Amino acid sequence: MKRCLQSISFCVVSLLLCINGSFAQSQLSIKNFAIFGGDSTASFVDSLTSGVQSASIVTITGGGLVGTQTFLQLKDTVKIDANVYGNIVTIGSNFILNGGSLSVFNRQNFSYNVLSEGNFAQYRLPGNINVNGAANIGVVGGNINGAVTIPAAYSYTGPTPVNGFDNAVPVFPTMPVMPPTTAFPAAGATNITSTQSIVPGSYGNMNLSAQQTIAFSGPGIYVFNSITNLANDTFKFDFQNNITGSIRIYVVGNVDLNSINTVLANGGSPSRVYMENHGTSFIINTAGNFDSRFAGIIYAPLGTVTIGNPNVYSIHVTTFTGSVWSRKKVTIGYNTTFNFAPLSESADPSPNSVILPYYIPPADGKVNTIIGSELTSLYEHPGAITQD
C-alpha cells in the first residue's frame, strides 16, 4: 500500500513538473493576491513608503490574499475574507478576518510587539494567528476561532484561542516574486484631452477635463506618457466581442485618475484589463469628493499606489474590482470596497513570471498529507484551478 501511494504521488508530481517546469509552486504566486505592497526590495525602516496600509471602513472580498514583506497597517472596521501576511502588523478595532488566517513574520526578530491590535477582533474559521514575535491583541469582545502559534520566548496578550496555543516557531509560506518591470514601447506625441475613441498605439499625455469618456477600442497595447484627469471621467473598455486578448495600458510616468468610472463593453472582464506605470505614484479618487468605480489590474513596480482618500473620511464610496501590486506601498482609503479579480493569463505581460496552475494555498502554508500542500489543495479545490 505504501509503495502504491508513493507511485501515485510520484506520477502526480511528475505531471505537475511537466506543467510548471519546476517545484517553485511552494512559493505563493502574485496572482493569489488582491493587494500586495512592499516586496523584499522595499524599505524595512520606513512605513510611510513601504507596505500595505488601510484607512477605516474598508472591505476586501473575493478570496484574494493581502500581504506585504514589510509593514501592514489597518485602521478600524476593516473586513478581509482571505489570508493576511505582514512583517510588522498594526490593526485597529473591529477587525474581522472571515475565512482566513493572519501571519506575522518578524524577519528581524524584534523584541517589541510585532502584532498590535485593538478590541473586538473576530478571527472566524479557520481563524489562526501565526506570529514569530510578541503579540498584544485587545481582549474586549475578541474571538479567535483557530489556534495561535507563537514561540514560547515571546509574550501574548489577547483572547484565548478556541484551538489553543502552539509554542513552535511558525512555518510561513514564501512570499511571491513580483513580476518584472515591462519594457514599454515609446510613448507618442498625440495628447488626449477630451471624449473620443482610441485604438491600440502610442500617445502622449492624457489630461481630461471633467466628465469626459475615453473608449479603448479593442484589445491591444495603449501607451501614454502620463495620465492626469480632472473628475468623473469614464474609461470604456470595449473588447469588441473578442473572447481572447486583453487591454493593456502602459504609462511611462505618474497616473492620477481622480474619480474614475470604468465600463466593460462587448465582453471582457476586469481580469483582462492591465495597467502598469513607471512613475512614482498611481492614484485613484484620493480627494474622495465623488463615488468612483475602477475595474482592472494595477501594477506599480517603481512607485506607490493609493486608492481612495487615506486621510479624511468621505461619504462617497470607492469601489475597486481587480488586483493591485506595488514593490513599495499600497494604500486603501476610507469607505472603500475592494473586490478581488485575478489577473488573466491573456493580460499578463510576462506570463512565465507567474506560477501555474493557480491553487488556493493552505492558511499556514503547510499540511501533513503525504502529497504536500500544493497537491492536496489542487485535489480539494479542483474548481479553483485557473490557467486562463
Side-chain angles (χ1 to χ4, degrees):
M1 182 66 179
K2 181 177 179 181
R3 181 175 297 178
C4 179
L5 288 174
Q6 289 174 336
S7 298
I8 293 172
S9 178
F10 176 79
C11 291
V12 177
V13 171
S14 298
L15 175 61
L16 285 179
L17 279 174
C18 293
I19 295 173
N20 295 289
S22 73
F23 282 107
Q25 276 186 303
S26 59
Q27 183 172 58
L28 295 180
S29 168
I30 192 65
K31 286 180 73 173
N32 300 355
F33 284 83
I35 301 171
F36 192 93
D39 68 356
S40 59
T41 66
S43 172
F44 281 91
V45 296
D46 185 2
S47 62
L48 295 178
T49 61
S50 178
V52 172
Q53 181 175 347
S54 166
S56 299
I57 317 176
V58 170
T59 299
I60 302 169
T61 66
L65 310 182
V66 176
T68 174
Q69 296 201 52
T70 60
F71 301 94
L72 177 69
Q73 300 170 301
L74 310 177
K75 290 188 177 180
D76 298 340
T77 319
V78 174
K79 302 177 183 179
I80 302 174
D81 69 355
N83 296 342
V84 177
Y85 304 93
N87 187 60
I88 307 295
V89 175
T90 303
I91 302 176
S93 298
N94 296 292
F95 175 61
I96 296 177
L97 185 57
N98 186 26
S101 294
L102 171 64
S103 295
V104 184
F105 310 135
N106 188 19
R107 306 288 192 200
Q108 292 76 24
N109 294 313
F110 295 124
S111 59
Y112 58 77
N113 289 326
V114 296
L115 170 59
S116 301
E117 187 166 338
N119 293 321
F120 307 104
Q122 299 293 320
Y123 288 84
R124 299 171 182 172
L125 294 174
N128 297 317
I129 296 177
N130 311 293
V131 54
N132 184 38
N136 189 335
I137 301 173
V139 297
V140 177
N143 189 19
I144 299 172
N145 278 294
V148 171
T149 300
I150 181 170
Y154 293 111
S155 64
Y156 170 86
T157 301
T160 300
V162 171
N163 293 332
F165 293 92
D166 183 344
N167 292 131
V169 176
V171 177
F172 300 112
T174 303
M175 290 295 97
V177 174
M178 299 292 273
T181 302
T182 303
F184 292 167
T190 302
N191 294 327
I192 305 297
T193 59
S194 60
T195 295
Q196 59 186 286
S197 296
I198 59 175
V199 298
S202 293
Y203 301 89
N205 300 309
M206 179 186 290
N207 301 112
L208 300 180
S209 57
Q211 299 182 333
Q212 304 298 299
T213 298
I214 300 299
F216 294 82
S217 301
I221 295 175
Y222 299 77
V223 185
F224 298 90
N225 186 56
S226 68
I227 298 179
T228 307
N229 296 340
L230 186 56
N232 279 335
D233 296 307
T234 299
F235 281 176
K236 179 180 179 181
F237 299 126
D238 185 356
F239 284 86
Q240 300 179 337
N241 296 313
N242 288 286
I243 62 174
T244 61
S246 60
I247 292 175
R248 303 183 193 177
I249 302 172
Y250 295 158
V251 184
V252 177
N254 292 338
V255 175
D256 183 354
L257 298 183
N258 209 306
S259 50
I260 189 73
N261 292 287
T262 56
V263 176
L264 297 170
N266 300 312
S269 68
S271 297
R272 292 171 60 193
V273 176
Y274 176 87
M275 291 188 71
E276 180 178 330
N277 82 306
H278 292 173
T280 59
S281 65
F282 191 124
I283 61 179
I284 297 175
N285 204 31
T286 53
N289 295 327
F290 303 94
D291 289 350
S292 183
R293 304 179 68 89
F294 180 87
I297 313 300
I298 291 175
Y299 179 39
L302 306 178
T304 62
V305 180
T306 306
I307 300 169
N309 190 326
N311 300 314
V312 179
Y313 171 76
S314 171
I315 62 172
H316 296 286
V317 178
T318 300
T319 303
F320 187 103
T321 302
S323 307
V324 57
W325 314 319
S326 167
R327 289 182 178 272
K328 293 187 176 181
K329 185 174 184 178
V330 175
T331 302
I332 308 298
Y334 285 90
N335 211 10
T336 297
T337 298
F338 197 108
N339 306 304
F340 172 57
L343 174 68
S344 168
E345 190 65 16
S346 65
D348 188 350
S350 52
N352 292 330
S353 69
V354 179
I355 298 167
L356 294 171
Y358 165 79
Y359 73 96
I360 298 174
D364 302 328
K366 64 177 181 177
V367 297
N368 295 320
T369 59
I370 189 173
I371 60 175
S373 60
E374 296 90 350
L375 299 182
T376 298
S377 184
L378 292 173
Y379 172 77
E380 292 178 348
H381 306 283
I385 301 171
T386 60
Q387 192 170 342
D388 58 344

